[in-house]
Amino acid sequence: MSDAITPNPYAAPTSDLQQTPSNQTPSIEEALARGYDFSIGELLSESWSKVKGTKGIIIGGFLVFYVVLLAATFILGGVVGIFGALSENLFLVFVGEILISLLASALAYPFMAGINMVGIRRAADQPLSFNEIFSHFGRTVPLIITAVVMMLLIYLGMILLLIPGIYLAVAYLLAIPLVVERGLSPWQALEASRKAITQHWFKVFGLFLLLGLIVMVSAIPLGIGLVWSIPLMVVAMGVLYRTIFGVLPAAQ
């Protein structure tokens, strides 16, 4: 008598998603299809427990960023001002202002992507590095395109009926890290973020409304509380991202 087990022909078929190992990060399509849920209280509690070890990296990163940004804009603004004054050319001054704005964007969006990645790494218990904050300038162009398209759509929504703009402002919260962590194109990242957050839009809105209030209150006593509240917000976004999409293993 054979010991082989004959498959049950009447058994329900198993899907590829069910067969995916629990430690394997789902694709964006799988993440959107499987759905997710979270408790605001539990997410904040987990985020607070993970703030330790991130404060120095995040606050230090902000300080370095603003020093570099101020220095770069001061130097570029001074050069443009001198040439504009010597030539008395208003067009040159206008072009200079545009260049300063582009420089600020070129520095700001890769930096914010790096800050987001620190929160995501912490949420996934992956190794943290200060260099993470400044290691995504290779994606400056897609990050700026993502930010520009996002802002245009949000502003358009605000102009039309206000509510669409508020909806998109929340729905696009995870677009920037999706460009970096998953390498998505700007439109793919915007749509993936929108489709995911729409599943629990009001809960995500409530989470970041509460985080915003925490940051505002923490800024009252001379801003000292920001040392804790800003990392809390960064890590909370990372935990939300991990809950929805999972996190790819860190590159060695």
Side-chain angles (χ1 to χ4, degrees):
M1 182 175 181
S2 174
D3 292 332
I5 299 176
T6 303
N8 182 0
Y10 303 103
T14 58
S15 67
D16 292 337
L17 183 58
Q18 291 173 324
Q19 294 174 345
T20 300
S22 59
N23 62 345
Q24 181 175 331
T25 306
S27 67
I28 296 298
E29 293 76 13
E30 288 172 335
L32 292 174
R34 71 178 182 179
Y36 68 96
D37 199 2
F38 67 94
S39 161
I40 292 177
E42 291 177 359
L43 190 148
L44 287 177
S45 178
E46 179 185 354
S47 301
W48 178 251
S49 71
K50 293 178 179 292
V51 164
K52 184 179 180 181
T54 66
K55 295 191 295 294
I57 294 175
I58 293 172
I59 301 301
F62 271 105
L63 291 176
V64 171
F65 168 72
Y66 281 115
V67 168
V68 172
L69 180 60
L70 286 173
T73 54
F74 178 78
I75 294 172
L76 183 57
V79 171
V80 171
I82 292 172
F83 279 100
L86 292 176
S87 63
E88 297 182 354
N89 189 333
L90 294 178
F91 178 75
L92 182 60
V93 174
F94 176 72
V95 172
E97 293 297 327
I98 293 177
L99 290 176
I100 292 173
S101 298
L102 290 175
L103 173 63
S105 298
L107 292 174
Y109 291 113
F111 166 76
M112 290 308 302
I115 289 289
N116 285 333
M117 286 307 301
V118 169
I120 290 170
R121 299 282 183 222
R122 187 71 183 95
D125 294 320
Q126 295 178 355
L128 297 181
S129 169
F130 185 77
N131 294 333
E132 179 78 53
I133 297 176
F134 303 100
S135 62
H136 302 290
F137 284 90
R139 293 190 177 272
T140 297
V141 173
L143 286 170
I144 291 178
I145 293 174
T146 302
V148 169
V149 174
M150 177 170 57
M151 289 298 103
L152 287 175
L153 292 175
I154 291 173
Y155 289 151
L156 181 61
M158 292 290 188
I159 292 171
L160 292 178
L161 291 171
L162 183 63
I163 293 176
I166 297 174
Y167 161 73
L168 291 176
V170 176
Y172 288 154
L173 279 171
L174 300 179
I176 293 295
L178 280 168
V179 172
V180 173
E181 202 267 337
R182 291 301 183 100
L184 300 186
S185 70
W187 186 249
Q188 288 174 333
L190 289 167
E191 279 296 280
S193 178
R194 184 188 62 80
K195 290 177 181 178
I197 290 180
T198 296
Q199 295 180 23
H200 293 285
W201 188 93
F202 286 101
K203 192 173 288 189
V204 175
F205 175 76
L207 170 65
F208 283 94
L209 179 63
L210 181 56
L211 284 168
L213 291 174
I214 291 173
V215 171
M216 289 175 60
V217 171
S218 69
I220 293 175
L222 302 176
I224 296 174
L226 294 174
V227 174
W228 289 270
S229 63
I230 290 178
L232 173 63
M233 178 174 282
V234 171
V235 175
M237 182 174 284
V239 174
L240 177 65
Y241 182 96
R242 183 209 66 204
T243 301
I244 298 174
F245 298 110
V247 181
L248 295 176
Q252 301 296 323

